[in-house]
Amino acid sequence: GAGGGGAGGRASGGLSGGTSEGGAGLGTKDPGWAPLEQAKIRPGVMIYAEARDCPTNFVFTHPENTSVFIGTTAYCVREMHVGSVASVGTNDTIGVLVYSSFITMDEDQETDSNARNYNDFAIFRIDDQDRKWVNPAMLPVGGPVGSAEFSSLSPGSRVRSFANLNDGAPDITHLREGIIAATAGEWAYLVYGAPSIPGQMGSGVTTPEGKAVGVVVSLGVNPNPGANAVARLDTLMSYAHSHAKLNMRLMGWDLVGSTPLSSTASSQS
């Protein structure tokens, strides 16, 4: 299981691949997920960092306590140090930077070229008082419904990316379809057709069925010009766990399809 959370796949209400749906695995003191229409913090909202706004990708929890996390790219928060605070989603909800893959790789003097190219992942821990505003759903379609079967993804496989195109307005998240053109070891996929527009690095990518694939980490990369690099979520999480002792589980949500969005359509019902 990525990130050392594999046991979560066998827990009640859990899913395979170290993921857990709904509130499974959250401590009893956790307030639970916000209703979708009230969620200020969810995949696709912006982290308002010191130098720029950073798109977010997935929501995670710690398997042994009530910590709730959200991901972006290390590149986007490259001027920040661990312990820095930023607004997440709105001006009055905050998170603390607890992990930057760039900082960890520098400290560990990482030399693997694929890691240096694609290990672009940063994690913010949501302030305890703001956990009540979090929902892990990737609107407008819901999910993620678990982790992708990475061995089955290959050139020709279709993926979806979730891009926030409206200056962080939480209800405007657009889907873009893409096709995997090539792979970069166990680190990344090179994808054509996913949003190749500024400001979408850090966005989450899933399969068309809603399973989490990874994070957009670069745009228009060589050796496939015009392709976007999507770092594999399992590898990103595993590196954070093994090199920085950051143990996380991906949080999921039911697919909501074209039905009206409401908390009753969630896995809480």
Side-chain angles (χ1 to χ4, degrees), residues 121-148:
F121 198 38
I123 294 293
F124 283 77
R125 182 186 184 276
I126 303 303
D127 187 79
D128 289 350
Q129 293 188 348
D130 294 326
R131 286 202 308 254
K132 62 181 178 290
W133 300 112
V134 180
N135 187 293
M138 304 179 76
L139 300 184
V141 297
V145 293
S147 292

Side-chain angles (χ1 to χ4, degrees), residues 112-126:
D112 181 86
S113 60
N114 278 339
R116 299 299 302 191
N117 285 332
Y118 304 115
N119 186 18
D120 188 355
F121 198 38
I123 294 293
F124 283 77
R125 182 186 184 276
I126 303 303

